[in-house]
Amino acid sequence: MGKTTVAKRLVFHVGGYDPITPHAGAQRRFVRELRRFELTWSVKASSGAMHESVDQTQWRVITDGPNWHVETDFRLIRWDDVIEQFHRQTIWQRIPLGVIAFLDFVTAGALWGYLRTNWHYAMFFLYPFVMFGALIATACFVGVYALHASETIPAIITIGVLAALVLGCWRRLHLGSLFDDWIFSRAYVRRGNATIEQRLHRIAQEIVSVARGSDADEILVVGHSLGAVMAVDLLDQALKLDPSLGRAGIPVTFLSIGSSILKIGLHRGAKRFRAAVERVARAPGIFWGDYQARIDIMNFYNINPMAEMSLSTEHGPVVKLVEFSRMLERVMYRSIRLRFFRVHCQFISGNDKRALYDYFMLVCGPVSAKRQTITADGALSMIGDDGALVSKLAGSEPLSEPARPA
């Protein structure tokens, strides 16, 4: 089962398709939300300086309770450069590529899969393309009407005004980012991405190396949103390098949070990816937990991803259902519940209330992520009101680091 408590943890976090927040912004958001974690759990936490490389951005996190001390080496896997490449394409490139991506996911059965498993996700898929179609239809109608109603307005002026309106709505409704998301996803299904594949291979080598020689108590791989897809590929590459990963050496835990695994996995052309999912699920040295939230339309709720991909359910994730309304103060919850991207980001944000799911408790807390996932109430019954580990946990397994005073 592995250790219940940890004093040193190594975290590899793969974020989702987030064109708004690059790697430096992600670190600032992490530090901001870490403050909420301190208040909620009555602990102390600090974050060190950020160190950047081509493949990852890392910083150190120190967390303390009355009878525990944890050092976390947090590594954010970078792919902001890949996102930026798609963002730099002109609108005239993105529109046809987006339409092709839409038709591809429809004809490959993905849309039907979304409707079957979670109609909210189907609406998320359809939204940018339906909105774009409505914009074009409206612009054409208004343009034709204007040309027929007034012979004094030159056609070129009418077309220019309509184009400005379409472009304005394109930006205001974030259609460009949403188109890019699906354009990237289609490319990832069909031919992969050379930059990401090479990067994941280098990080997989790093994981295998530290799993054999690090003094960490736990290696935690976290994939949020579309990052869960790349986290699967990362672990698959690591298993190809070392099939015994997690069995001999440091335990390895994989957490998919607000996952888009089925976004890719339900596409008929994603045979390579489904095979990778099955290899990771079957790996005896890797524990997989999958956290799903009802209100988040960008994830799949209350489903077994293995079953939906027609893979064996003998092995697979421990599925945990979470309610954001129980994690946030009422005012905060009501202010974000209709801001769908902000709701999706609650998976990587701090909580106002103690709950069975808490991102920072999983990546920075004194209880192993595996133990938190397999326990019905997460860390709720393991951390006292004063932030201390309860006596039965603190006494059952000595911490590998001496406890520091608060």
Side-chain angles (χ1 to χ4, degrees):
M1 180 174 173
K3 296 185 67 173
T4 297
T5 58
V6 298
K8 287 189 176 182
R9 179 185 286 110
L10 181 56
V11 177
F12 293 86
H13 177 102
V14 191
Y17 197 100
D18 185 355
I20 300 172
T21 306
H23 55 285
Q27 199 256 2
R28 289 193 295 271
R29 180 167 62 189
F30 183 98
V31 172
R32 182 190 69 222
E33 297 301 315
L34 189 64
R35 302 282 80 81
R36 295 174 68 189
F37 169 69
E38 286 187 278
L39 294 173
T40 300
W41 292 92
S42 303
V43 301
K44 293 184 177 180
S46 62
S47 177
M50 182 176 69
H51 302 281
E52 298 181 65
S53 69
V54 174
D55 294 338
Q56 55 189 311
T57 301
Q58 65 184 97
W59 56 87
R60 196 181 188 197
V61 185
I62 305 294
T63 47
D64 286 286
N67 61 347
W68 58 268
H69 170 78
V70 177
E71 298 176 6
T72 299
D73 183 357
F74 188 92
R75 305 185 182 190
L76 176 67
I77 309 307
R78 293 186 59 178
W79 62 296
D80 53 287
D81 53 339
V82 175
I83 294 173
E84 181 60 26
Q85 288 176 7
F86 283 82
H87 182 69
R88 283 199 300 264
Q89 296 181 114
T90 68
I91 187 173
W92 311 116
Q93 292 173 302
R94 294 152 91 181
I95 288 172
L97 289 174
V99 172
I100 291 170
F102 169 75
L103 295 174
D104 188 15
F105 274 84
V106 171
T107 57
L111 175 58
W112 168 244
Y114 303 156
L115 289 167
R116 185 185 72 246
T117 56
N118 187 340
W119 68 268
H120 294 95
Y121 198 89
M123 297 302 102
F124 166 65
F125 167 67
L126 290 170
Y127 167 77
F129 305 108
V130 170
M131 290 302 297
F132 178 72
L135 280 176
I136 295 300
T138 302
C140 291
F141 174 80
V142 173
V144 170
Y145 178 81
L147 289 173
H148 282 286
S150 176
E151 298 179 356
T152 61
I153 303 176
I156 192 168
I157 295 178
T158 302
I159 293 172
V161 171
L162 292 174
L165 288 172
V166 170
L167 291 174
C169 292
W170 172 272
R171 289 190 292 269
R172 191 174 299 111
L173 298 174
H174 306 293
L175 297 183
S177 298
L178 293 169
F179 267 53
D180 290 349
D181 186 0
W182 289 101
I183 294 168
F184 168 82
S185 298
R186 176 181 181 270
Y188 200 78
V189 169
R190 292 298 184 183
R191 61 180 183 273
N193 182 282
T195 301
I196 288 177
E197 287 177 7
Q198 293 166 12
R199 187 164 297 167
L200 293 181
H201 181 71
R202 291 191 294 268
I203 296 170
Q205 291 176 315
E206 186 176 340
I207 289 176
V208 169
S209 176
V210 296
R212 294 170 178 166
S214 172
D215 61 349
D217 300 308
E218 176 181 52
I219 294 176
L220 176 58
V221 177
V222 182
H224 174 234
S225 191
L226 192 55
V229 171
M230 280 172 274
V232 167
D233 283 337
L234 172 62
L235 288 169
D236 185 46
Q237 292 206 35
L239 286 168
K240 291 175 181 176
L241 295 170
D242 181 7
S244 67
L245 181 70
R247 284 185 293 171
I250 303 171
V252 176
T253 294
F254 168 42
L255 296 182
S256 48
I257 57 177
S259 166
S260 290
I261 283 175
L262 287 181
K263 171 181 183 173
I264 303 298
L266 291 175
H267 189 294
R268 276 197 294 269
K271 295 179 181 178
R272 177 200 60 82
F273 175 69
R274 286 191 292 273
V277 173
E278 189 155 36
R279 283 190 292 268
V280 171
R282 288 179 174 274
I286 298 176
F287 171 79
W288 178 9
D290 186 38
Y291 285 89
Q292 307 167 2
R294 183 197 308 273
I295 193 176
D296 180 14
I297 68 169
M298 298 184 198
N299 82 155
F300 294 82
Y301 179 75
N302 198 21
I303 54 92
N304 182 332
M306 303 296 286
E308 298 302 334
M309 290 184 286
S310 299
L311 301 176
S312 171
T313 56
E314 181 181 356
H315 306 279
V318 173
V319 175
K320 296 297 289 287
L321 306 180
V322 301
E323 297 287 347
F324 289 161
S325 60
R326 298 183 181 181
M327 297 158 50
L328 300 171
E329 295 292 350
R330 182 178 177 84
V331 173
M332 170 64 79
Y333 177 73
R334 294 188 64 174
S335 72
I336 72 168
R337 62 179 179 172
L338 297 179
R339 293 159 52 196
F340 300 127
F341 183 73
R342 172 60 183 85
V343 167
H344 191 52
C345 287
Q346 186 56 42
F347 275 110
I348 54 172
S349 300
N351 294 349
D352 297 326
K353 303 176 183 178
R354 296 188 180 193
L356 68 88
Y357 175 83
D358 188 297
Y359 174 76
F360 289 90
M361 182 58 73
L362 287 164
V363 301
C364 303
V367 182
S368 72
K370 177 180 178 180
R371 179 62 183 269
Q372 290 186 57
T373 303
I374 63 177
T375 303
D377 63 353
L380 281 171
S381 59
M382 305 179 197
I383 306 294
D385 292 341
D386 61 351
L389 272 170
V390 297
S391 57
K392 63 180 179 180
L393 285 178
S396 62
E397 292 179 351
L399 301 178
S400 57
E401 288 275 321
R404 293 187 181 184

